[in-house]
Amino acid sequence: MGGKLWQGRFREGTSKLVENFTASIRFDQRLYRYDIEGSMAHCKMLSQQGLLSGEEEDILIQGLGEILREIERGTFVFDEAQEDVHMAIEQRLIEKVGEVGGKLHTGRSRNDQVALDIRLFLRDEIQGVDEDIKGLQSSLLAQAKANLGAVMPGFTHLQHAQPVLFSHHLMAYYEMLRRDRQRLSACLDRVDVSPLGSAALAGTSLPIDSKATAELLAFPAMSRNSIDAVSDRDFIIEFTSAAALIMMHLSRMCEELILWCSTEFDYIELSEGFCTGSSIMPQKKNPDVPELVRGKSGRVYGHLMSLLTVMKGLPLAYNRDLQEDKEPLFDTVDTVRQSLRILARLWENVKVNKERMEKMASRGYTLATDLAEYLVIKGMGFRQAHRAVGKMVGYCLEKGKELEEMTIQEFKGFASLISDDIYEILELKHSVDSRNSVGGTSLQQVREAIGLAEEELS
Ligand code: ARG
């Protein structure tokens, strides 16, 4: 096969060095399915418009179908000299069907073609990421249900704050992931737009029907400006930004998983299948999976920064810089999907050490706020109550005891309003259940949250 498809005006061949430097085929071959799908729709439209005969349409579509099968069977040879997936497929088509293959690119440019391919790819992947998020949400939900009632210390500043239900804590992650799904769905609106018909940058004089191709490819919308359509990569940046947020959420979750399975916390146990050992310390069982997810958030943030930087200062319309969009995008998709999937499986295999969590839940005077609120109900102003309980905590620290270990006389020494009913207030379950404000940690609120989540996921 001699020369490149764009060889016409050149008298010299491309330097090997340049060929290697400019080719994207190593990574953009991943788009082959979308490229062929787009080309088939384009052929149908060309034929409807009389730009191809019915017979030519059949030949091209059949040829494209065969190429698809060659690629899937692994017999297609992607060659760097072909530059990118678009030219490789077109060149193969011409090789297979002869000169009529040269009609495929009528009324089209690689500039609108590549924009189309990424949009088709990303549309699918966004749905995939959404499914993966749902998978992780389901695992969290299953743990929240299985451990409903288990109490743990809630933290602020990583210091014991107030007791909460373990399930309530897990459902916080459910909510974070729910927002991630909303962001993806909003991003999909901007991805799901057909750029076909924009050609190189200015549209085409040929009587094409862009609406028809958009419909064939099930796009609900079409680009409104051809210059914008071939130079816009906002939708990739939006997706990567949503992905960076997902990774940030996963990284926070992983940090807690890592803390919780440490000897110091001992709240959970990761199954052996999800841990790795040490090459020197025989006793080690390390949480490498959450550590790696936490680490991988870095590369996704990096991709977001790369993409913004590639786009910054680019003049309209298409510039070859835009080819640099693919590797960050592909790696973002792979990283975020892999991370979501492995965490869903990991959570299925987490053993929760309820006794330990419950034992720790009352440590550090976590019921002090309950005591202050008790005084408020009995008529004391909140600030005064806060001060009085602060004094009680100071006293207990000095005496080395817990609040509930104080005698009623001791209590009365700090606030005469306190009576025998205080001991019930200072029980963990009571404390948790009393926080029944909307979105609070009471059993009732958490049950409702779980019910709502189950509905959302079904
Ligand atoms: N491989 C190119 C890319 O990924 C395809 C578009 C090339 N267009 C061009 N005019 N050279 O962006």
Side-chain angles (χ1 to χ4, degrees), residues 237-403:
I237 295 177
E238 266 187 71
F239 169 77
T240 309
S241 138
L245 274 166
I246 296 173
M247 291 306 292
M248 181 269 282
H249 291 156
L250 299 187
S251 182
R252 294 181 74 174
M253 173 191 289
C254 287
E255 172 69 13
E256 298 205 314
L257 285 167
I258 294 162
L259 283 174
W260 290 354
C261 70
S262 67
T263 310
E264 282 67 23
F265 274 82
D266 193 25
Y267 289 0
I268 59 166
E269 204 184 308
L270 302 182
S271 69
E272 293 192 355
F274 282 81
C275 293
T276 54
S278 155
S279 57
I280 173 166
M281 296 167 284
Q283 86 285 8
K284 293 282 275 179
K285 179 184 156 200
N286 294 327
D288 295 37
V289 169
E291 288 174 282
L292 274 170
V293 171
R294 188 178 57 183
K296 280 174 193 291
S297 61
R299 59 202 283 165
V300 175
Y301 295 1
H303 294 325
L304 175 59
M305 209 34 75
S306 308
L307 288 163
L308 285 166
T309 311
V310 165
M311 297 307 290
K312 177 186 175 297
L314 270 195
L316 300 177
Y318 179 86
N319 300 271
R320 192 63 177 269
D321 314 45
L322 292 179
Q323 184 168 289
E324 289 293 311
D325 62 355
K326 281 167 212 65
E327 286 165 293
L329 172 64
F330 293 160
D331 190 67
T332 297
V333 165
D334 294 340
T335 305
V336 78
R337 294 199 64 182
Q338 224 184 6
S339 303
L340 285 163
R341 285 181 188 181
I342 199 154
L343 285 178
R345 297 298 312 283
L346 180 137
W347 268 111
E348 284 168 17
N349 294 285
V350 162
K351 246 188 28 225
V352 181
N353 188 350
K354 294 189 212 178
E355 292 72 40
R356 167 75 180 173
M357 286 195 314
E358 209 146 310
K359 189 170 141 215
M360 296 311 285
S362 53
R363 292 271 182 92
Y365 307 100
T366 54
L367 299 177
T369 312
D370 299 72
L371 186 44
E373 286 174 359
Y374 165 90
L375 289 173
V376 168
I377 297 288
K378 297 261 167 169
M380 197 182 274
F382 181 74
R383 269 298 144 228
Q384 272 169 288
H386 188 287
R387 195 172 327 113
V389 178
K391 290 228 153 70
M392 293 181 226
V393 169
Y395 173 80
C396 285
L397 277 168
E398 220 169 81
K399 299 274 170 197
K401 56 162 95 178
E402 298 295 328
L403 286 170

Side-chain angles (χ1 to χ4, degrees), residues 6-21:
W6 43 250
Q7 196 65 48
R9 63 93 67 215
F10 288 84
R11 275 175 294 186
E12 288 173 26
T14 321
S15 137
K16 277 281 162 221
L17 207 59
V18 170
E19 222 167 65
N20 179 265
F21 184 70

